[in-house]
């Protein structure tokens, strides 16, 4: 089982970013943070890096259920999504596989939540 799902888009970076964010919102996810690693690397290390962002997506309903089932689950939340520019006009979106992330947690309720979240994340990626 891989730890992420990905898809390649032949559009601009900003357009791809907005497409995946919109698709995730349609699946009930909100966004808690966005980290622009290419800007951080430039500022902190003076390294020029391809456009690469990570944002944390959270579905409040599932997050609440998971927190009730295991109060340490926050150590591996939220669901991270990356958008990275491979080439001009070639953008990859990768989303965590919640099933794989929750595999070490031996709690049937958490596993069920992970399955549902995984289906929503895959649907968002497919529909972006």
């Amino acid at each position: 089982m891989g730890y992420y799902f990905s898809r390649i888009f032949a559009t601009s970076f900003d357009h791809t970013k907005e497409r995946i964010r919109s698709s995730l919102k349609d699946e009930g996810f909100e966004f808690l943070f966005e980290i622009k690693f290419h800007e951080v690397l430039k500022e902190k290390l003076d390294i020029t890096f391809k456009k690469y962002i990570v944002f944390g997506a959270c579905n409040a309903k599932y997050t609440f259920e998971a927190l009730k089932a295991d109060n340490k689950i926050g150590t591996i939340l939220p669901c991270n999504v990356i958008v990275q520019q491979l080439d001009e006009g070639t953008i990859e979106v990768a989303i965590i596989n919640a099933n794989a992330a929750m595999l070490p947690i031996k709690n049937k309720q958490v596993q069920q939540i992970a399955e549902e979240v995984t289906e929503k994340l895959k649907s968002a990626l497919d529909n972006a």
Side-chain angles (χ1 to χ4, degrees), residues 14-113:
D14 290 335
H15 182 70
T16 302
K17 178 180 142 184
E18 291 312 311
R19 282 177 63 177
I20 192 62
R21 287 177 66 102
S22 176
S23 189
L24 283 162
K25 281 185 181 183
D26 290 346
E27 292 291 338
F29 289 88
E30 296 298 325
F31 304 94
L32 304 176
F33 61 81
E34 180 176 308
I35 303 167
K36 297 175 181 176
F37 276 107
H38 57 287
E39 290 180 6
V40 171
L41 293 171
K42 186 64 176 172
E43 178 185 330
K44 302 293 183 185
L45 302 174
D46 198 28
I47 293 173
T48 301
F49 193 72
K50 63 186 172 186
K51 288 184 179 178
Y52 190 108
I53 64 164
V54 175
F55 49 86
C58 172
N59 182 303
K61 173 187 166 213
Y62 290 110
T63 299
F64 178 62
E65 293 302 318
L67 287 167
K68 288 191 311 184
D70 183 323
N71 67 3
K72 305 298 184 285
I73 201 85
T75 61
I76 54 177
L77 295 178
C79 297
N80 284 341
V81 178
I82 67 166
V83 180
Q84 66 174 316
Q85 186 162 0
L86 302 178
D87 296 310
E88 190 65 38
T90 306
I91 313 302
E92 180 182 30
V93 174
I95 298 177
I96 191 164
N97 177 344
N99 282 331
M102 303 297 176
L103 201 57
I105 301 169
K106 304 302 182 204
N107 178 315
K108 288 186 186 269
Q109 188 176 3
V110 168
Q111 293 300 322
Q112 178 61 38
I113 294 165

Side-chain angles (χ1 to χ4, degrees), residues 5 20 24 27 29 57 79 81 95-98 116-126:
F5 304 104
I20 192 62
L24 283 162
E27 292 291 338
F29 289 88
C79 297
V81 178
I95 298 177
I96 191 164
N97 177 344
E116 293 177 31
V117 169
T118 296
E119 290 307 311
K120 289 192 163 293
L121 293 171
K122 286 169 61 176
S123 178
L125 189 59
D126 290 345

